[in-house]
Amino acid sequence: MLLIYMAKCISGVLLCSLLSVYFHEWIDYSWSLISVVLVLSPEGKDALELSLVRIKANFVGAGVGVVLLFSEWPSPWNIAVGAALALLICDRLKLNAAARSTLAAVIILLLHPEGATLWSSAVSRVGAVITGCILGLTITFVFHSLIKIETAAMNSEAVKKGEG
């Protein structure tokens, strides 16, 4: 399992790097890396489902972040309110398993470098979050479609059948 997770993470880093070469003007490389590793899961069981839950939570966080950009509240108040609001929405949508993903997306959107225009920075970061999520889902799908992970062998009933 560790080797498969390592391979997924390496694939995510390399694909983000490749995309940053061609789309560096629209996608913030470092934030797409964070999004891709938040979507990836070390578990083989339910990896695709968990990736989808994390993507939904990322979108909740990104949406909350964009809405709070309109408020023009100063940092750290905007991040604190965004975190609380995103967690509340995730709770209502039953996405609590991906709470860290939603918090990361809020922070990614609401932090912006000094001197950068707020909206161009936000658009770049939304693009980074979406790109990271898509890459994470694609990597998960490819790995778990090509490599059939035998979780049944770890199941106690499967072991008992083999012994009998």
Side-chain angles (χ1 to χ4, degrees), residues 53-162:
V53 168
R54 289 176 178 170
I55 288 170
K56 290 174 188 175
N58 262 304
F59 285 147
V60 167
V64 167
V66 167
V67 167
L68 283 175
L69 285 174
F70 287 109
S71 73
E72 297 183 11
W73 289 348
S75 194
W77 298 108
N78 60 349
I79 295 172
V81 169
L85 186 57
L87 288 173
L88 179 66
I89 293 169
C90 279
D91 182 64
R92 298 292 179 230
L93 295 175
K94 302 201 183 329
L95 300 172
N96 292 331
R100 288 184 300 175
S101 293
T102 200
L103 293 173
V106 167
I107 292 168
I108 287 170
L109 245 61
L110 294 177
L111 285 179
H112 57 84
E114 291 296 320
T117 61
L118 183 68
W119 288 104
S120 67
S121 178
V123 167
S124 171
R125 290 174 185 216
V126 167
V129 168
I130 292 171
T131 300
C133 289
I134 291 170
L135 285 177
L137 181 63
T138 303
I139 291 166
T140 299
F141 180 76
V142 167
F143 271 80
H144 293 278
S145 294
L146 296 177
I147 303 169
K148 300 297 180 195
I149 300 169
E150 298 294 328
T151 54
M154 300 164 98
N155 186 337
S156 60
E157 291 180 350
V159 173
K160 288 178 186 174
K161 286 180 183 177

Side-chain angles (χ1 to χ4, degrees), residues 17-73:
S17 298
L18 179 66
L19 287 177
S20 74
V21 169
Y22 296 105
F23 301 107
H24 65 278
E25 294 173 10
W26 299 290
I27 299 171
D28 193 328
Y29 171 68
S30 57
W31 298 115
S32 63
L33 281 175
I34 291 170
S35 292
V36 79
V37 297
L38 283 172
V39 168
L40 295 175
S41 171
E43 296 89 22
K45 182 182 175 192
D46 300 329
L48 194 58
E49 182 179 325
L50 185 56
S51 291
L52 290 171
V53 168
R54 289 176 178 170
I55 288 170
K56 290 174 188 175
N58 262 304
F59 285 147
V60 167
V64 167
V66 167
V67 167
L68 283 175
L69 285 174
F70 287 109
S71 73
E72 297 183 11
W73 289 348

